[in-house]
């Protein structure tokens, strides 16, 4: 214990890789760590580990000051996108509850017009959170639902529109095109870009997280990330690689299936948890 | 993609006409990167690489001018061998055969229940589904809608998931159904209480197939997750879903290597006909990229 040698760096490499950090990002992090350790003459194992956590947290640093984007003119439009099953609908329910507790008046838009019982699922969250709700019948046009929801929000004086969309694989070009259309229709209704386009990522995801961020970023103009299911054992290390390449701040973290299980992202928490 | 990587590594060696141990180690490093990028578990990758090196030496890769092709073949064959043979459906000696669907939140269990039900209908069988997820909002409704879509009855009920499961098996026997497919709530592998509930549901109905439904995008935790479900339930198979995305699916290799549980089916889309039998050849190609 306390011996600084190559063994330590191979232990750190293993921990990073086991946390779903990519091979390339792991090499990058460890090479920067060696430089920092040499330059600052860090001489203990604890010191090196502390330095490593700091290095990882600092990659996210600029996120900490950001909550979700609030526009000058309400209602805010926050759109939720991502692949199948990551937690979009549940996150909207939690966020609606949080907004209500702050005296806001959120409206949930049932933009998933495709999946079995998707509208009903969001409706339950609207009831649980006390939020307004706009939905149509299954099979109707998703973009139209979001449009109607925005109009309804303006008419009712709602403060926030939280728009759900159907899960989709970024490999399906027709579905990605549909998503692009929903964003454009929303833009027209708002007279500006959505205040947030949040890509929801499941913490269990490995290297595919990068692909998801690239493709959804490109089509939907993603402004931020939500990391869900961190109450499990997965560390979400794939996120580290996203920071440098794509500038996608992590805004929210899902910590369970209950209505209260949503927090703001904290880089220090993320870095510590990575090595827990 | 592995082929491309190795061609790069070996192109300089072709000029020299022979391979040194260093050259082979560089090539193995490329294999390691490819396998880790495919989400194969770190520990599994380590053992895997050791076996590959052994085979490479055994096949005298050092003397070969087509070493890159040989190495790719060795890696591919090793993956196929690890992934194993096709396992036929475990029919019960007397109906109904009970299939229990389990897994993490959002992995695709409910959809897979309907896909399997549709498959069985096409095979001339008479399945029933049991809606034992009483936790997720509108989960029962979701299974009912899917049941209508595939023309399969869905048993819903009051009480606990165990109560509903018990009622369902009675009803399935009463209606002479061939198969009862039990949908359960997503749960964390580390949630002892919910893992106990799963075991209780299994005990209440007596299952013949216990399938772990795993999202193809899962990363390093695939091993811990699969091991926990294996320990608590004793799995008969894995269903890997969302392979219509571009996740490489290395979790399949990890789970098979560590738990020995075979992959039985593959989910290839959201529609109820998007279920295929597992093919180790196709999976090997996908993992290699
Ligand atoms: N443990 C845990 N489960 C979560 C979390 N967020 C969502 N879930 C669960 O994940 C499952 C999927 O959540 P959904 O909200 O339906 O996901 P989705 O992205 O809307 O799914 P699709 O619309 O089908 O693409 C549900 O069982 C949720 O309860 C989280 O932070 N922790
Ligand atoms: N693209 C694709 N989507 C799938 C596949 N299997 C399931 N899905 C989708 O994944 C999402 C989650 O599926 P569910 O069946 O609700 O998953 P679940 O495991 O029952 O979720 P919980 O009950 O919340 O744990 C839905 O949007 C499904 O349509 C698949 O093979 N490919
Ligand atoms: Mg949803
Ligand atoms: Mg389900």
């Amino acid at each position: 214990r306390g011996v600084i040698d190559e063994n330590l760096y191979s232990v750190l490499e293993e921990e990073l890789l086991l946390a779903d950090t990519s091979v390339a990002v792991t090499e990058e992090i460890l090479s920067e760590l060696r430089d920092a350790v040499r330059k600052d003459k860090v001489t203990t194992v604890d010191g090196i580990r502390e330095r490593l956590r700091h290095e990882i947290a600092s990659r996210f640093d600029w996120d900490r000051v950001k909550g979700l984007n609030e526009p000058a003119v309400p209602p805010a439009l926050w759109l939720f996108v991502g692949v199948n099953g990551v937690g979009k609908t549940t996150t909207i329910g939690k966020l609606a509850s949080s907004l209500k507790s702050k005296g806001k008046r959120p409206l949930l838009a049932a933009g998933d017009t495709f999946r079995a019982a998707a509208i009903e699922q969001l409706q339950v969250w609207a009831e649980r959170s006390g939020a307004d709700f706009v939905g149509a019948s299954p099979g109707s046009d998703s973009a139209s639902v979001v449009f109607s929801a925005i109009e309804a929000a303006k008419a009712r004086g709602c403060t926030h529109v939280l728009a759900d969309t159907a899960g989709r694989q970024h490999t399906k070009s027709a579905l990605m095109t549909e998503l692009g259309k929903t964003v454009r229709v929303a833009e027209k209704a708002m007279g500006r870009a959505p205040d947030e386009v949040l890509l929801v990522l499941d913490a269990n995801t490995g290297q595919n997280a990068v692909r998801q961020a690239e493709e959804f970023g490109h089509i939907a103009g993603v402004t931020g990330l939500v990391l869900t299911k961190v109450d499990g054992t997965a560390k979400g290390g794939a996120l580290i690689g996203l920071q440098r390449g794509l500038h996608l701040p992590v805004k929210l973290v899902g910590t369970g299936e209950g209505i209260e299980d949503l927090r703001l992202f904290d880089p220090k928490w993320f870095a510590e948890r990575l090595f827990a | 993609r592995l082929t491309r990587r190795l061609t790069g590594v070996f192109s300089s060696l072709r000029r020299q006409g022979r391979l040194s141990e260093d050259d082979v180690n560089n090539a193995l490093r490329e294999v390691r990167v490819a396998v880790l990028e495919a989400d194969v578990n770190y520990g599994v990758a380590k053992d895997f690489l050791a076996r590959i090196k052994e085979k490479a030496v055994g096949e005298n890769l050092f003397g070969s001018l087509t070493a890159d092709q040989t190495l790719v073949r060795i890696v591919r064959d090793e993956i196929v061998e690890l992934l194993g043979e096709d396992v036929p459906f475990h029919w019960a000696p007397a109906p109904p055969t009970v299939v229990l669907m389990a897994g993490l939140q959002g992995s695709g269990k409910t959809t897979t229940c309907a896909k399997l039900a549709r498959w069985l209908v096409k095979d001339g069988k008479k399945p029933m589904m049991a809606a034992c997820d009483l936790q997720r909002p509108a989960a029962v409704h979701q299974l009912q809608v899917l049941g209508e879509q595939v023309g399969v009855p869905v048993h819903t009920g009051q009480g606990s998931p165990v109560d509903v499961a018990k009622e369902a098996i009675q009803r399935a026997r009463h209606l002479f159904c061939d198969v009862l497919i039990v949908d359960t709530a997503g749960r964390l592998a580390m949630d002892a209480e919910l893992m106990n509930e799963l075991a209780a549901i299994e005990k209440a109905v007596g299952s013949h197939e216990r399938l772990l439904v795993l999202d193809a995008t899962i990363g390093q935790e695939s091993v811990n997750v699969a091991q926990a479900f294996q320990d608590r339930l004793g799995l008969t198979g894995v269903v890997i879903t969302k392979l219509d995305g571009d996740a490489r699916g290395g979790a399949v290799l990890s789970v098979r290597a560590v738990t020995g549980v075979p992959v039985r089916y593959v989910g290839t889309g959201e529609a109820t006909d998007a279920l295929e039998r597992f093919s180790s050849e196709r999976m090997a190609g996908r993992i290699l990229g």
Side-chain angles (χ1 to χ4, degrees):
Chain A
R1 202 178 173 283
V3 177
I4 315 295
D5 60 359
E6 269 321 295
N7 190 36
L8 173 65
Y9 284 93
S10 82
V11 167
L12 294 179
E13 181 198 45
E14 178 169 352
E15 289 176 18
L16 284 166
L17 291 173
L18 279 171
D20 283 312
T21 315
S22 74
V23 174
V25 172
T26 298
E27 284 180 10
E28 197 180 296
I29 287 173
L30 291 179
S31 129
E32 289 179 9
L33 180 65
R34 284 174 199 273
D35 289 349
V37 163
R38 185 169 40 241
K39 181 165 146 295
D40 297 353
K41 302 194 175 54
V42 183
T43 55
T44 64
V45 170
D46 285 351
I48 292 183
R49 282 187 172 278
E50 157 104 37
R51 195 61 205 240
L52 175 57
R53 285 192 301 271
H54 171 84
E55 192 188 317
I56 289 170
S58 65
R59 285 185 176 223
F60 295 89
D61 233 350
W62 56 308
D63 307 336
R64 240 178 319 180
V65 296
K66 301 180 181 183
L68 297 190
N69 196 19
E70 300 279 357
V73 182
L77 172 64
W78 296 341
L79 195 70
F80 291 77
V81 303
V83 298
N84 307 83
V86 293
K88 300 176 289 300
T89 306
T90 307
T91 299
I92 289 172
K94 297 171 183 177
L95 192 53
S97 171
S98 160
L99 287 168
K100 284 289 283 186
S101 71
K102 293 183 187 147
K104 306 294 181 187
R105 188 176 165 182
L107 183 147
L108 310 191
D112 180 354
T113 54
F114 168 74
R115 205 210 69 214
I119 298 166
E120 286 78 1
Q121 183 187 6
L122 189 67
Q123 206 155 12
V124 173
W125 284 110
E127 288 161 16
R128 285 183 181 180
S129 61
D132 281 50
F133 178 84
V134 164
S137 48
S140 49
D141 180 53
S142 168
S144 314
V145 175
V146 177
F147 187 93
S148 308
I150 293 167
E151 296 301 295
K154 287 177 184 169
R156 300 179 203 177
C158 292
T159 57
H160 298 75
V161 176
L162 307 185
D164 197 7
T165 64
R168 69 202 67 219
Q169 296 297 323
H170 47 275
T171 46
K172 306 240 166 95
S173 58
L175 298 183
M176 294 306 278
T177 301
E178 179 203 55
L179 185 61
K181 174 182 161 208
T182 299
V183 175
R184 280 195 308 280
V185 165
E187 243 173 88
K188 274 202 130 145
M190 298 293 295
R192 59 172 190 263
D195 300 290
E196 288 283 359
V197 176
L198 297 171
L199 175 64
V200 181
L201 293 175
D202 183 330
N204 291 293
T205 309
Q207 297 314 304
N208 199 248
V210 177
R211 292 289 305 131
Q212 294 173 21
E214 285 170 349
E215 295 301 317
F216 279 88
H218 182 64
I219 293 281
V222 173
T223 57
L225 306 174
V226 177
L227 183 68
T228 61
K229 307 181 195 173
V230 302
D231 44 312
T233 50
K235 306 298 170 74
L239 277 191
I240 306 174
L242 290 183
Q243 295 313 302
R244 221 155 254 196
L246 294 165
H247 285 295
L248 287 176
V250 189
K251 304 251 172 169
L252 298 172
V253 177
T255 62
E257 301 192 69
I259 201 163
E260 302 277 311
D261 296 333
L262 192 70
R263 299 201 303 245
L264 286 179
F265 179 74
D266 176 352
K268 265 190 95 239
W269 160 86
F270 179 87
E272 285 176 11
R273 187 173 171 275
L274 211 68
F275 299 102
Chain B
R1 290 217 339 257
L2 177 63
T3 322
R4 244 187 293 135
R5 281 178 196 272
L6 291 181
T7 317
V9 168
F10 284 117
S11 61
S12 56
L13 324 166
R14 282 198 215 280
R15 281 177 266 131
Q16 299 158 25
R18 60 177 290 283
L19 292 176
S20 67
E21 179 156 10
D22 265 2
D23 299 328
V24 174
N25 283 333
N26 281 333
L28 289 175
R29 205 161 302 144
E30 287 303 325
V31 175
R32 177 179 184 256
V33 172
V35 151
L36 286 174
E37 278 187 358
D39 292 322
V40 173
N41 174 269
Y42 178 88
V44 172
K46 226 174 172 178
D47 296 340
F48 184 77
L49 261 305
R51 289 165 73 146
I52 296 297
K53 178 162 190 183
E54 215 176 303
K55 291 216 162 132
V57 169
E59 292 205 16
N60 191 24
L61 217 67
F62 296 112
S64 167
L65 280 177
T66 54
D68 51 348
Q69 294 169 35
T70 309
L71 189 54
V72 172
R73 180 185 51 75
I74 290 174
V75 174
R76 192 185 179 104
D77 288 352
E78 186 66 15
I79 295 177
V80 171
E81 188 181 336
L82 255 175
L83 292 179
E85 297 277 322
D86 188 32
V87 176
F89 195 75
H90 297 117
W91 291 103
T97 298
V98 179
V99 179
L100 183 67
M101 221 57 95
L104 298 178
Q105 291 87 350
S107 61
K109 299 176 290 300
T110 304
T111 311
T112 301
C113 285
K115 290 177 180 181
L116 186 60
R118 185 179 199 272
W119 181 306
L120 291 164
V121 168
K122 249 173 115 242
D123 269 2
K125 301 287 187 283
K126 187 178 169 195
M128 173 186 287
M129 298 193 282
C132 294
D133 178 357
L134 304 179
Q135 188 263 343
R136 166 174 154 153
V140 171
H141 192 150
Q142 183 187 5
L143 195 65
Q144 284 176 313
V145 171
L146 290 170
E148 271 169 45
Q149 284 179 16
V150 298
V152 169
V154 175
H155 180 76
T156 65
Q158 299 293 340
S160 73
V162 173
D163 296 332
V164 177
K166 283 182 178 155
E167 289 175 12
I169 186 112
Q170 300 286 34
R171 186 157 160 232
R173 282 192 192 116
H174 186 70
L175 293 177
F176 301 108
C177 292
D178 300 307
V179 186
L180 176 66
I181 302 168
V182 181
D183 189 21
T184 63
R187 67 202 67 221
L188 297 179
M190 53 182 262
D191 186 327
E193 189 179 334
L194 283 185
M195 291 302 276
N196 286 339
E197 178 197 79
L198 189 60
I201 294 171
E202 199 288 323
K203 195 153 178 283
V205 292
S207 62
H208 308 90
E209 288 280 9
R210 291 167 296 285
L211 303 176
L212 173 65
V213 179
L214 212 55
D215 189 321
T217 62
I218 192 167
Q220 295 291 311
E221 284 303 297
S222 63
V223 167
N224 289 334
V225 170
Q227 194 67 65
F229 279 90
Q230 167 70 333
D231 290 347
R232 204 70 195 81
L233 260 195
L235 301 168
T236 59
V238 167
V239 179
I240 191 99
T241 61
K242 308 176 198 174
L243 271 182
D244 46 311
D246 56 8
R248 302 263 290 280
V252 166
L253 192 65
S254 313
V255 168
R256 174 70 182 191
V258 171
T259 65
V261 181
V263 182
R264 313 284 297 288
Y265 302 98
V266 163
T268 58
E270 295 196 67
T272 51
D273 61 356
L275 190 72
E276 296 172 15
R277 294 223 74 111
F278 177 67
S279 151
S280 52
E281 294 281 348
R282 254 182 283 149
M283 197 71 215
R286 183 184 182 112
I287 291 174
L288 282 182

